[in-house]
Amino acid sequence: MDVQIHSIHFDADAKLLEFIQKKIAKLETFYDRITSGEVFLRLEKGDNAKDNKVVEIKLILPGASLFAKAHDKTFEASCDDATENLRTQLTKHKEKQQEK
C-alpha cells in the first residue's frame, strides 16, 4: 500500500513518520485490498491549545474511500484515535462486501 504523509506548515520528524507508517500498515490486517492512503498532519490555532494536533487519514479502497479525523495533545495519540476509527470502518466495509 502506498501511503503519502503531508505535514502542513511544519516539518515532521522521522520518528513520527515511521510511527504513522506502521499504524497505517497494521490496518491491512483488517482489510487487505487497501489501494493507497493519505495522511495530513496539522497544528490548529485557536482557543483550545491543548488538543491542537490534528491527524486526518484517507484510505482508498476499490469502489470506496474511508476517512477519519482526530484531535489530541500529541500526533501519536491523534493517529491512534484515527486508525482505531478506520479499523472499525474497515471491518464494517468488509462485512458489507461479504454479504453481497
Side-chain angles (χ1 to χ4, degrees):
M1 167 179 45
D2 179 38
V3 177
Q4 295 179 350
I5 301 174
H6 309 281
S7 52
I8 311 297
H9 300 300
F10 73 98
D11 293 329
D13 64 340
K15 270 186 167 180
L16 177 61
L17 298 177
E18 185 179 322
F19 176 81
I20 292 170
Q21 195 77 261
K22 285 181 182 178
K23 283 294 206 179
I24 301 292
K26 285 183 184 179
L27 290 174
E28 282 190 301
T29 60
F30 300 102
Y31 190 72
D32 59 351
R33 297 183 62 203
I34 300 171
T35 309
S36 64
E38 269 190 300
V39 180
F40 294 95
L41 306 172
R42 288 191 176 91
L43 289 168
E44 266 190 1
K45 296 178 183 175
D47 297 335
N48 194 4
K50 285 185 178 179
D51 297 341
N52 67 340
K53 310 291 191 299
V54 180
V55 174
E56 297 176 353
I57 304 173
K58 180 179 178 182
L59 294 180
I60 308 298
L61 312 174
S65 64
L66 304 177
F67 181 80
K69 181 177 181 178
H71 301 258
D72 216 316
K73 295 176 185 174
T74 65
F75 282 115
E76 288 84 357
S78 296
C79 185
D80 285 339
D81 294 344
T83 52
E84 185 62 29
N85 187 329
L86 282 171
R87 185 189 65 77
T88 305
Q89 291 181 41
L90 282 170
T91 53
K92 285 183 181 180
H93 181 76
K94 187 175 181 179
E95 288 170 4
K96 285 183 182 179
Q97 292 296 322
Q98 290 174 347
E99 288 176 3
K100 290 183 179 180

